[in-house]
Amino acid sequence: MTNLVIYNHGKDSIPWGEKPLALAEVAKRQGFEFVSPDYQASNDPDWRVQQLLALDITGCETLVLVGSSMGAYVSTVAAETIKPKGLFLIAPAFYLPGYARTDFKPTTANIEVFHGWQDDVVPPENAWRFCREHRARLHMLDADHRLLSILPLMVTAFERFLGTCAA
């Protein structure tokens, strides 16, 4: 049995940018395997959900889904089917035009969201709305959509989050 983190990158991002590299270090220190699928072949969020659902996660004892922007949408929609121990969402692309789903049923109560007040891609109120509906832990910070300016804070929170998921 293994502990696994699956990181889902955003629309115009790459699988191994600054955020996943930093989070992977934390995951490995805590005994989690860390994978970051490459979704660059399509910007269709629902195609990406199908790609995530097609991954073989048999034998996984503790599964944590992490997603940034479109990847947070992908993680949250997939969570209804694969039932992770936790969802760690970064600037989640919720309630946006072109996304099929606006109603989410993530199946885990362990949800943590980071969003920037200066986000000009996804309005901050979208994160607040989701967190209110799902009673998720919300961190609203003075940052832009990419949230790189608060990456050290996010890494620290992720370390605590993984400890909670593994307990």
Side-chain angles (χ1 to χ4, degrees):
M1 290 297 200
T2 92
N3 296 333
L4 176 64
V5 171
I6 302 174
Y7 179 89
N8 300 284
H9 67 81
K11 179 178 169 185
D12 296 321
S13 296
I14 57 174
W16 291 102
E18 290 177 70
K19 284 179 284 208
L21 286 172
L23 297 176
E25 278 186 41
V26 170
K28 288 174 183 160
R29 276 199 311 267
Q30 295 216 15
F32 281 79
E33 290 180 33
F34 191 99
V35 298
S36 185
D38 188 345
Y39 298 116
Q40 295 175 96
S42 174
N43 280 339
D44 176 347
D46 296 299
W47 177 86
R48 291 180 178 202
V49 169
Q50 293 311 310
Q51 298 303 107
L52 175 53
L53 292 175
L55 293 178
D56 181 10
I57 56 166
T58 53
C60 182
E61 186 177 310
T62 303
L63 174 66
V64 174
L65 295 179
V66 179
S68 181
S69 194
M70 181 185 281
Y73 171 94
V74 169
S75 297
T76 304
V77 173
E80 296 176 19
T81 304
I82 57 180
K83 300 176 177 32
K85 283 274 169 78
L87 276 173
F88 194 86
L89 309 175
I90 303 162
F94 293 148
Y95 318 114
L96 296 178
Y99 287 69
R101 299 283 299 278
T102 56
D103 183 38
F104 304 99
K105 297 172 180 61
T107 72
T108 179
N110 194 10
I111 305 171
E112 192 150 347
V113 177
F114 278 80
H115 208 97
W117 286 115
Q118 311 306 320
D119 192 327
D120 59 359
V121 177
V122 181
E125 43 282 358
N126 293 16
W128 183 84
R129 173 182 167 190
F130 173 84
C131 289
R132 186 191 62 199
E133 288 174 13
H134 298 283
R135 290 172 175 59
R137 193 177 305 111
L138 175 61
H139 305 268
M140 289 298 298
L141 300 150
D142 189 17
D144 64 10
H145 183 67
R146 297 186 65 215
L147 292 156
L148 292 177
S149 63
I150 57 97
L151 187 56
L153 185 78
M154 208 173 359
V155 164
T156 300
F158 186 60
E159 193 157 11
R160 189 193 80 263
F161 184 80
L162 283 183
T164 303
C165 290

